[in-house]
Amino acid sequence: MSTTAIDPGLNADLAADLAATALILARRFAAGATLWCVAPAWEPHAQHIAVEFVHPVIVGKRALPAVALTGHDPVGAARMSVRPGDIVIAVADAGDPEVRSIMRRAPAWGAVTVWIGHGPRPPAGAADRVLWFDDPDPRLPAAGGFVLTYHLLWELTHVCFEHPGLLTAPHGPAEVCVTCADEGRLAEVIAVCGDTATVRTATGIETATTTLVGPVTVDDLVILHAGAAIGTVGPPGRAPEPLAGNGIRR
C-alpha cells in the first residue's frame, strides 16, 4: 500500500487563500483577461504556470490565455503587455526588486496581482492575493510546493467555471470624495511637460496637473484625484503619509 505525502506548507490558511484567489482569476478570465506570469529568479515557474493555463490536460477544460514574461526586463515587458482587467502572477521571494516594482505598478495598469513565494512575507497590501510558504529553506522553490500551489490554483479556477453564478463579481459602492465624486487612484507617469503629466491609470491614459506634488519624472507613481496629482508613492516599505482633510493617503 502506498501513500501520498501532502506538503505541510499547504495549511488551512493557504488553502483558503487558494480558493479565494481562484475565484478572482475565474471572474477575470470570464471577463476576457490574460494572465501574465513572471518569476525573474526562477523563470521555469513562470513558463510552467503559463502552460498549465493555456494547455489544459483534462478533456473538456477550456484553454485560458496565459503568457510567461521572461528576459532581462520583466518590468518593461509587463508594462508593455498588461491591459486593464488582466492578471499578473509572480513567483518570487519578498525581496525581489523587479517583482516588487511590478506589484506596485499593476494597479495603475488595471491588473489584479497574485504573489507566490516563501520565507519572510512581503508587506501587507503588496499584492491583491499572497500565496505564501513561511519556510525560509532556499531549496523550497525546487521542492514541489510552488508547483502544487499553482496546479491547485488552475484546478480551482476551473471548478469556479463549473458554477456560472460565481463568475459575476458583486459591485458595492465605491469610496469617493463627497465633494467631487472622484476617488484617489494610482497612476504611473509616462510623460512630463512642465506642470502637466500624461499618466496611465486603470481606466486608460489621462492628463494630470502636478503642481501640488512638484516635479515628477517618467515611471513615477502618483495618486490622482480630480485631474490632479495629490501625492506620490515612494519606494516599497515607506510608511504611507495621510493627506489632510480628504482621507486619501499617499
Side-chain angles (χ1 to χ4, degrees), residues 161-183:
F161 283 133
E162 296 171 3
H163 302 275
L166 295 175
L167 300 181
T168 302
H171 296 285
E175 295 185 5
V176 298
C177 173
V178 296
T179 301
C180 63
D182 190 20
E183 73 279 23

Side-chain angles (χ1 to χ4, degrees), residues 22-34 62 64-65 85 87 157 160-161 163-164 166-169:
L23 178 58
I24 292 172
L25 264 60
R27 287 172 171 170
R28 287 275 173 145
F29 279 125
T34 295
R62 68 177 75 178
L64 299 169
I87 310 155
T157 299
C160 293
F161 283 133
H163 302 275
L166 295 175
L167 300 181
T168 302

Side-chain angles (χ1 to χ4, degrees), residues 35-40 43 46-47 50 67-71 73-79 81-82 88 102:
L35 174 65
W36 302 97
C37 314
V38 295
E43 287 190 346
Q47 296 164 333
V67 181
L69 297 175
T70 59
D73 183 14
V75 179
R79 180 183 288 114
S81 303
V82 176
V88 177
I102 290 171

